[in-house]
Amino acid sequence: MWKDFSRSDLAHTPAAVRTMALAALAASFFLALLCGLFYNAWTYEVDRILREEGGWQARLTLPQTGAGLDQTLETLEQFAQVDTITCNDTLSGQDFSVVDLTFRDRSTAYETLESIQARLGLSNKQAETHDTLLSRYLITDPQDPTPPLLLPFLLGVWAAMALALVLLLRNAFEITMQARLHRLGILASVGATPRQLRLCLLQEAAAVSLLPLAAGILLGFAGCAGVLAAVNQAAADLPGRQPAVFTLHPLVVLAALLSALSTVLLSAWLPARRLCRIPPLEALRGTARQQSAWRGKRPLTTRLLARCFGIRGELAGNALCAQKKSLRIANISLLLSFLGFTAMLCFFTLSGISTRMTYFERYQDAWDVMATLPDTQLSDFTLTDSLAALPDVEDCVVYEKRQASVLLPAETQSQALQDLGGLGALAGADAAATQNGWLVDAPLVILDDASFLRFCEEAGLAPSLDGAVLLNRVWDSLHSNFRNRQYLPFVQPGTAALTLAEPDGTALGELPLLGMTDAPPNLREEYDQYTLVLFWPQSLWEAWAQENRLPAPTQTPEVLVRLLGHEGIFQTECEALQGEVSALLDQGGYAYTVENRLTERATNDRMIQGAKSILGAFCLLLAVIGLANVFLNTLGFVEQRRREFARYLSLGMTPRELRSLFWMEGAVLALRPLVITLPLTAGMVALMLRASYLDPALFLAEAPVLPVVLFASGIVLFVALAYALGARKVLCSDLAEILKDDRLP
């Protein structure tokens, strides 16, 4: 009987069937799209980690080789959770061996490693876990206070989206079930139990939703494949990027199907449960949805509309109050989408301005091509002249960086620095005090001899290789900020030598100074503001290091090559010069990495644009959910609005006045997110400007006004369209006939 009743009911309510089918199709599409995107993003990240870092899950550094190592490996095989044991010959040395482990159950990696450490007597420095890889499997170190939260965040986004879809679908099913409230009252009056009515409504929802649900799943995964193809095409020429391959696991398909089905059934059960509890008399009269517009004090929206538009504003405000619950998801989605969109654009605009000022514009005349040669000392590099002779190269500097310290007596500080209270007043905890002064970090920049002589001429010093040049400046942090730094002299003029020391304060020897300068050489380098930077010629460094028997450096040696092309060089010319540099370094047998400034900037811009596109898509998705809720309400509850407007018509209101009620409701719904968001965004921008010390005029000149206006216009346009269609559907019917409906109270 119930099947026949449901079949007959659905046949006579095609609008309700379409509403439920479209809602199920949209929900399953979004859920399948998110499941596919998240799964493919996860597989891409895991593949990248395996490709770049390896598939090891734990790594041991064993102070053993030969027979001792074999015995240790036998001990490791006794652990039940240890799956594979691999000797890493690349990282192993003559006196130690590095062993990579994987586990049968990844979730026990940290506990098993602790047991291995205790069994073999290894320290924490001799045992490490592949935290990045394990975190992608939702396995984190229980001792880590700040574990990686990227994957939990993505799962939280998926759960929030599922909840939003439940609320959206709930309204859709409530619309269709509300339309049959009178018939439900008739069934209840002849003896149907609430459980029977609830099952009837659920079977109707399931019958209507199954095919749209399956179609939505297929469309969602197809959309995921399309998104990945678009991303691959947009990022095809990014250096080092592997194309994403669309993959699906049966469990992902099952998860999408179950989540979509659960969402649909839960969304149908919620209104069915509520409607089946309505007393039969109220259901027969069709008054269950009628609610008081407010309780106690009138809402602010109603008061404002009443003050501006009189009785019509009062009626529109009351209607919005009556729909408060059904429009809740629309209000929240539209607010979050517009707030997220404007905040994202403002953040990227400020970040772009800061990056451009502090990096690209600051160093645009300092380098065009940069080569880095790890595990190489400046004395071993022999291609300086060949690189300088390349076409389009106007300047070539080869240098090396080392770390040292300087024992600076208190009286050696400049008078301006002493007047402010000394180095400690500016540097605070960054300055290490000694008995007679300060132990100051002194980065050493060792230039090839020809570059050092050119630097001496630029600094106004007599060219010589018999001493170093001191960058004599310290940041006055008391009277300036990091964006617009003011500098003071660091040491007294006329200082002829400085005492270099080890980090613990042990003196190494005196270093003669050729002179001082307040402008460093034209390099792509950042110098800490409370350090004494020293520029050395290569020949002096080698002689001084041999004479003073310097200990072996703690950091890995690294040679840097800075090439500067002609003014106005193009990206194609930079890339050609980069290729020539690579060819020379290949001939020399060096390990290296080479980059050029213009390609680096283009890549950075494309990465930022990609991040904008992804975040913008999520904001657009939220807006679509909110607008879908608006359309469902304006087009779904037509029957109730007809009865409402029939009453207004009987009281003497004209059709034009009735139409104005729709426009007032739509204006409030569309403009509320804008009115709330714009002040919040302005406050966030003001805080970011204050924190970054950027000139507000710079932001205003590049403020993303057009995208924000277009996004807001889209929201207003679609809300207006929804209410225009709803008004047309209601007002074009014969409202006078509705007054004769005996179901009206």
Side-chain angles (χ1 to χ4, degrees):
M1 182 191 75
W2 290 111
K3 291 181 180 180
D4 294 335
F5 172 77
S6 296
R7 189 180 298 110
S8 173
D9 205 15
L10 293 176
H12 290 84
T13 55
V17 172
R18 288 195 299 269
T19 301
M20 287 192 293
L22 289 175
L25 178 69
S28 58
F29 170 79
F30 285 129
L31 286 173
L33 178 64
L34 286 176
C35 287
L37 289 177
F38 287 174
Y39 175 73
N40 280 274
W42 175 77
T43 56
Y44 182 85
E45 178 67 8
V46 171
D47 289 341
R48 183 194 65 80
I49 294 172
L50 294 176
R51 184 175 60 253
E52 296 178 0
E53 304 178 21
W56 59 277
Q57 297 166 13
R59 177 169 286 169
L60 305 177
T61 302
L62 304 174
Q64 301 152 340
T65 58
L69 176 63
D70 294 337
Q71 184 176 359
T72 302
L73 296 180
E74 291 178 0
T75 304
L76 291 174
E77 291 175 352
Q78 297 174 6
F79 286 87
Q81 288 298 335
V82 174
D83 187 19
T84 63
I85 305 171
T86 307
C87 291
N88 194 321
D89 297 330
T90 303
L91 299 179
S92 299
Q94 295 181 352
D95 301 327
F96 64 92
S97 301
V98 176
V99 176
D100 294 339
L101 305 178
T102 61
F103 302 97
R104 292 184 173 88
D105 183 1
R106 286 186 291 262
S107 63
T108 64
Y110 291 98
E111 293 80 359
T112 305
L113 186 60
E114 288 183 2
S115 302
I116 292 174
Q117 284 183 253
R119 179 77 173 272
L120 301 180
L122 301 177
S123 64
N124 291 332
K125 293 183 179 180
Q126 294 175 298
E128 61 175 319
T129 51
H130 200 166
D131 295 330
T132 306
L133 178 61
L134 292 174
S135 67
R136 298 305 181 264
Y137 296 101
L138 290 178
I139 302 168
T140 57
D141 186 357
Q143 306 299 326
D144 188 359
T146 57
L149 298 177
L150 176 61
L151 196 55
F153 170 75
L154 293 178
L155 293 176
V157 170
W158 177 85
M161 189 63 64
L163 178 61
L165 291 173
V166 167
L167 296 176
L168 175 64
L169 288 174
R170 175 187 177 277
N171 289 337
F173 287 119
E174 185 177 9
I175 291 170
T176 58
M177 294 176 184
Q178 187 80 31
R180 299 194 299 280
L181 186 60
H182 183 70
R183 300 186 67 179
L184 293 177
I186 294 176
L187 292 175
S189 66
V190 297
T193 65
R195 181 175 180 273
Q196 290 173 323
L197 296 177
R198 189 161 53 246
L199 289 176
C200 176
L201 293 174
L202 287 177
Q203 78 176 9
E204 289 179 13
V208 171
S209 302
L210 284 179
L211 286 179
L213 190 145
I217 294 289
L218 294 177
L219 290 175
F221 288 134
C224 175
V227 170
L228 292 182
V231 170
N232 286 334
Q233 184 176 3
D237 56 348
L238 286 180
R241 182 188 181 275
Q242 294 290 328
V245 179
F246 176 70
T247 57
L248 272 184
H249 193 279
L251 291 179
V252 177
V253 178
L254 182 62
L257 184 62
L258 290 179
S259 59
L261 183 61
S262 302
T263 299
V264 169
L265 292 179
L266 179 61
S267 303
W269 180 79
L270 289 174
R273 177 174 175 269
R274 188 183 69 84
L275 292 177
C276 292
R277 291 182 173 182
I278 297 174
L281 183 59
E282 289 188 16
L284 286 170
R285 298 174 64 192
T287 60
R289 194 174 179 268
Q290 304 298 323
Q291 302 174 4
S292 61
W294 66 83
R295 295 179 181 178
K297 190 176 180 179
R298 292 185 303 170
L300 178 62
T301 302
T302 303
R303 284 181 283 156
L304 290 176
L305 290 175
R307 184 177 294 273
C308 295
F309 302 102
I311 186 61
R312 289 181 297 158
E314 183 97 14
L315 293 175
N318 293 344
L320 287 172
C321 280
Q323 301 174 72
K324 183 177 180 180
K325 288 185 177 180
S326 59
L327 289 174
R328 181 177 298 162
I329 188 63
N331 288 318
I332 294 175
S333 297
L334 294 178
L335 175 61
L336 291 180
S337 65
F338 191 62
L339 178 61
F341 188 77
T342 54
M344 173 200 68
L345 289 181
C346 291
F347 170 78
F348 278 114
T349 300
L350 286 170
S351 177
I353 294 173
S354 179
T355 302
R356 189 176 66 244
M357 292 176 60
T358 58
Y359 185 75
F360 292 113
E361 290 183 355
R362 179 176 179 180
Y363 294 116
Q364 66 180 357
D365 297 325
W367 73 289
D368 288 318
V369 174
M370 198 83 182
T372 303
L373 286 71
D375 298 320
T376 305
Q377 296 187 7
L378 190 58
S379 57
D380 300 330
F381 188 72
T382 60
L383 297 177
T384 303
D385 294 336
S386 300
L387 291 169
L390 288 174
D392 296 329
V393 173
E394 292 193 353
D395 189 29
C396 173
V397 178
V398 181
Y399 62 100
E400 182 181 356
K401 296 186 294 184
R402 295 292 181 95
Q403 293 294 327
S405 300
V406 166
L407 291 172
L408 185 68
E411 64 274 8
T412 309
Q413 298 177 102
S414 68
Q415 188 60 46
L417 184 55
Q418 295 183 41
D419 292 342
L420 289 179
L423 180 61
L426 298 182
D430 293 337
T434 62
Q435 186 175 2
N436 299 320
W438 303 92
L439 181 65
V440 183
D441 290 338
L444 311 179
V445 180
I446 305 160
L447 306 172
D448 66 275
D449 289 350
S451 300
F452 182 80
L453 292 175
R454 291 197 303 271
F455 169 57
C456 289
E457 293 178 356
E458 295 170 357
L461 302 174
S464 174
L465 301 177
D466 297 331
V469 176
L470 172 68
L471 182 61
N472 188 28
R473 69 183 190 187
V474 62
W475 174 31
D476 183 4
S477 58
L478 299 179
H479 302 97
S480 63
N481 57 64
F482 73 91
R483 184 72 61 187
N484 302 294
R485 289 188 172 97
Q486 298 178 8
Y487 294 99
L488 300 173
F490 206 140
V491 301
Q492 293 282 3
T495 302
L498 291 174
T499 302
L500 263 64
E502 294 185 4
D504 60 0
T506 304
L508 295 174
E510 281 201 349
L511 171 68
L513 295 178
L514 286 179
M516 306 176 190
T517 181
D518 59 358
N522 195 19
L523 303 175
R524 193 193 67 177
E525 294 293 339
E526 289 281 351
Y527 307 109
D528 190 87
Q529 305 304 316
Y530 307 112
T531 59
L532 283 167
V533 184
L534 293 164
F535 301 98
W536 296 55
Q538 178 184 351
S539 56
L540 175 64
W541 165 255
E542 293 174 358
W544 195 91
Q546 184 176 5
E547 179 183 349
N548 292 275
R549 298 180 180 178
L550 293 184
T554 56
Q555 72 271 22
T556 303
E558 185 179 75
V559 167
L560 297 106
V561 180
R562 189 272 285 161
L563 298 176
L564 189 62
H566 63 81
E567 185 175 355
I569 191 171
F570 295 105
Q571 182 175 344
T572 54
E573 296 175 309
C574 274
E575 292 173 348
L577 182 57
Q578 179 180 354
E580 294 172 352
V581 172
S582 300
L584 276 177
L585 295 175
D586 284 332
Q587 293 176 8
Y590 297 102
Y592 64 89
T593 57
V594 183
E595 56 184 333
N596 74 78
R597 176 176 57 85
L598 297 180
T599 301
E600 186 83 5
R601 181 165 188 171
T603 301
N604 179 77
D605 292 343
R606 294 186 63 178
M607 291 177 65
I608 292 177
Q609 192 61 41
K612 284 184 181 179
S613 301
I614 293 173
L615 294 176
F618 278 107
C619 294
L620 184 62
L621 182 60
L622 284 173
V624 168
I625 291 175
L627 292 172
N629 182 245
V630 174
F631 275 91
L632 286 174
N633 275 276
T634 55
L635 299 179
F637 289 113
V638 170
E639 187 66 27
Q640 288 75 14
R641 300 310 298 267
R642 282 175 179 166
R643 292 197 295 269
E644 175 188 346
F645 278 77
R647 296 170 189 157
Y648 297 156
L649 187 65
S650 68
L651 295 175
M653 295 185 70
T654 65
R656 181 178 180 181
E657 290 174 328
L658 295 178
R659 189 175 286 106
S660 68
L661 298 182
F662 277 102
W663 292 120
M664 290 181 200
E665 295 177 25
V668 170
L669 189 61
L671 296 179
R672 181 182 290 158
L674 280 62
V675 172
I676 295 175
T677 294
L678 293 179
L680 288 177
T681 304
M684 287 189 292
V685 169
L687 291 176
M688 288 188 286
L689 286 172
R690 183 175 181 181
S692 60
Y693 295 99
L694 280 173
D695 185 358
L698 293 175
F699 172 77
L700 293 176
E702 302 183 27
V705 177
L706 182 59
V708 171
V709 170
L710 291 177
F711 196 87
S713 300
I715 292 177
V716 173
L717 177 63
F718 281 101
V719 171
L721 177 62
Y723 273 89
L725 294 175
R728 182 175 179 274
K729 199 169 184 179
V730 171
L731 298 178
C732 288
S733 59
D734 189 356
L735 297 179
E737 289 295 327
I738 300 178
L739 293 174
K740 303 175 184 179
D741 193 337
D742 58 1
R743 288 180 294 170
L744 290 173

